[in-house]
Amino acid sequence: MDERSWFQRIFLDLASQMRWSFLPPLMVYFAAGVSGLTSVVGAFFLKDYLDLSAEFIAGLAFWAGLPWILKVPLGHVVDLFWRWKGFLILAGAGLITMSLLIMYGLVSRPSEMRTVFPLANWFIIALLLAPSGYAIQDIVADAMTVEAVPRVSDTGQAFNETQARAMHTTMQTLGRIAIISGFVSVAAVNIWIFTGTEALPREARLALYARVYLTALAIPVISISGMVLHTLIHRRKAVQEGPDEKTDVNWQILGGGLFFVVLSIALGTSDLVYAQEIVFVSSLSVILYLIRQLVKKLPTEAARVLIGTATIIFVFRAVPLPGPGLTWFEIDDLGFDERFLSILSLITSLLTLVGLIVLRPLMAHRSIAYIVVLLTIAAGVLSLPNIGLYYGIQEWTAAHTGEIVDARFIAILDTAIESPLGQIAMVPMLAWIARNAPADLKATFFAVMASFTNMALSASSLGTKYLNQMYIVTRAAVDPATGEQISAADYSQLGQLLIVVGVITVAVPLLVVLVVQYSPYRTTD
């Protein structure tokens, strides 16, 4: 294949498949990416000013992930009230705005906020509000991607299976690109904001954090604009293709989802020691039941492929992470500041963007099992630099390279190689759902399957919490109002934690892929 043909297949073909109808959901996805504007600030504020343990933060990530599992009942509600989906986008924007304003108050007026609730409680409220808003908007955007792909050409001729698959893959790829483009934008902004701020005193640094949170209020504005554009485009499209199909109420899906909501809230506000585990087992049982109801609407072979594919993706996403201790170590011991972490974020985002475009043909022609095996092996290899940094490999490399290959060089190199891999696994899965979901249950299908794969992130959070219970990592923190130290740093067990996480990351997904591919649920799609 000559270079012109390769360029055409990778880039020009992607551009030629772009439609105006793709733009509205892409704007909502872009807004989700822009949410990364506050990630660096949030990480430093959490580390420096809140006395929360790594174990508690890992457990908190479990509760923060629950709104994404609540996509099940909300997805069906979106299908039932599709004509009123704009109000759901507004509701999500409202929750996001509330979260940002709380964080603004925490960093700008901690003394006043403390008179109402402890600062840690305010942080927890903000942490739960934001994903709730993003989850609501994501449900609507997912369903909009199905509707955005035209069923007929401009001449009125129906697209064949190959053409439809290409457009759905393009739509889902562009969706990931929109999210990553948001990351790129905010990473560049963060680099600009934090340039020359190394010597800022605590009060000035907190004021800078406050300006970041105020700037982030642009996020809900972007998503609402996307919804307005969708309404304008779809009014014209409805005239050409006819009205949307009517969705009948599925009380099993709606009732099961509502039961999960009530159960999660009841246990989340209780003092039960194993509340998270009970919520996880119960919600997974409910979601598996809902999946069983949905796959009945698919042909037997397609249902088996979906189950096998979802299982592989679930396990791949369920492996535990090191937790916040690794970032704390990089800040305290390696001297990574806000600007450098923003540079890493920019590199990650840019290379992920390029990777999604360049690897799009791989996703379109290789099975999901093949992609997951590739990503699993890559993840294992890429866990080695972090382990090496903990044990001081940067001192040896710097001494033998004239101080060129230092800790920051290794971190940038590791990030550069790892970047394109993380977002790839979900694209073919989403494209498969978009092609095979019944027209009257598009949001429900997306919500249930996305909830199942998002349950994997909850499993990952639980695994991370357990590992952080076994390997204790603490960092130095001060009170944001008084500047008094409230905790001390101890990274003595971080190395063992990183090694255990690396082994699990490789061994478990490869074993599951092997089992699935030698079962009736083997996936070749």
Side-chain angles (χ1 to χ4, degrees), residues 416-490:
I417 300 173
E418 182 181 9
S419 299
L421 303 179
Q423 288 284 334
I424 293 175
M426 284 302 294
V427 172
M429 174 76 174
L430 294 172
W432 192 96
I433 295 173
R435 295 197 315 272
N436 293 278
D440 61 331
L441 290 173
K442 50 184 177 290
T444 306
F445 238 88
F446 262 108
V448 172
M449 297 312 302
S451 293
F452 177 67
T453 53
N454 284 331
M455 279 297 301
L457 300 182
S458 296
S460 176
S461 297
L462 286 177
T464 302
K465 182 186 76 169
Y466 298 148
L467 290 178
N468 275 270
Q469 289 174 344
M470 297 170 59
Y471 304 98
I472 308 299
V473 179
T474 60
R475 86 291 191 196
V478 299
D479 187 288
T482 65
E484 296 180 0
Q485 184 168 333
I486 54 180
S487 66
D490 181 4

Side-chain angles (χ1 to χ4, degrees), residues 221-426:
V221 175
I222 296 172
S223 58
I224 292 173
S225 301
M227 190 70 251
V228 172
L229 181 60
H230 173 84
T231 302
L232 296 175
I233 292 177
H234 190 63
R235 282 181 179 175
R236 178 175 176 271
K237 181 181 175 183
V239 174
Q240 297 174 338
E241 297 187 358
D244 294 325
E245 298 185 38
K246 182 180 179 181
T247 301
D248 296 324
V249 178
N250 188 320
W251 290 108
Q252 291 177 319
I253 293 176
L254 195 59
L258 291 175
F259 168 76
F260 168 69
V261 173
V262 174
L263 177 69
S264 300
I265 294 175
L267 290 175
T269 54
S270 71
D271 295 325
L272 287 176
V273 176
Y274 296 105
Q276 292 177 347
E277 288 78 4
I278 295 173
V279 168
F280 177 78
V281 173
S282 302
S283 57
L284 182 59
S285 300
V286 171
I287 290 173
L288 290 175
Y289 170 77
L290 297 177
I291 290 176
R292 181 182 178 186
Q293 300 305 311
L294 284 178
V295 296
K296 291 178 180 178
K297 299 181 177 293
L298 297 176
T300 302
E301 185 61 30
R304 288 179 176 176
V305 170
L306 178 60
I307 292 172
T309 299
T311 301
I312 291 174
I313 297 293
F314 181 94
V315 174
F316 175 74
R317 290 163 65 92
V319 294
L321 301 173
L326 177 59
T327 301
W328 297 345
F329 172 78
E330 291 173 341
I331 294 171
D332 283 346
D333 281 37
L334 301 183
F336 293 0
D337 55 19
E338 295 98 332
R339 183 176 182 274
F340 183 69
L341 289 182
S342 298
I343 291 174
L344 289 182
S345 177
L346 178 63
I347 294 171
T348 299
S349 303
L350 284 173
L351 293 180
T352 302
L353 195 61
V354 173
L356 281 171
I357 296 173
V358 173
L359 297 177
R360 187 174 62 94
L362 174 70
M363 293 183 281
H365 297 96
R366 290 287 190 175
S367 71
I368 295 177
Y370 177 93
I371 294 172
V372 168
V373 168
L374 178 67
L375 297 180
T376 298
I377 295 174
V381 173
L382 294 170
S383 67
L384 297 178
N386 285 329
I387 297 174
L389 285 173
Y390 175 80
Y391 286 104
I393 191 175
Q394 67 276 11
E395 297 175 7
W396 183 88
T397 56
H400 289 76
T401 60
E403 303 299 325
I404 295 177
V405 184
D406 58 3
R408 295 196 174 200
F409 184 96
I410 294 173
I412 290 175
L413 182 63
D414 181 52
T415 298
I417 300 173
E418 182 181 9
S419 299
L421 303 179
Q423 288 284 334
I424 293 175
M426 284 302 294

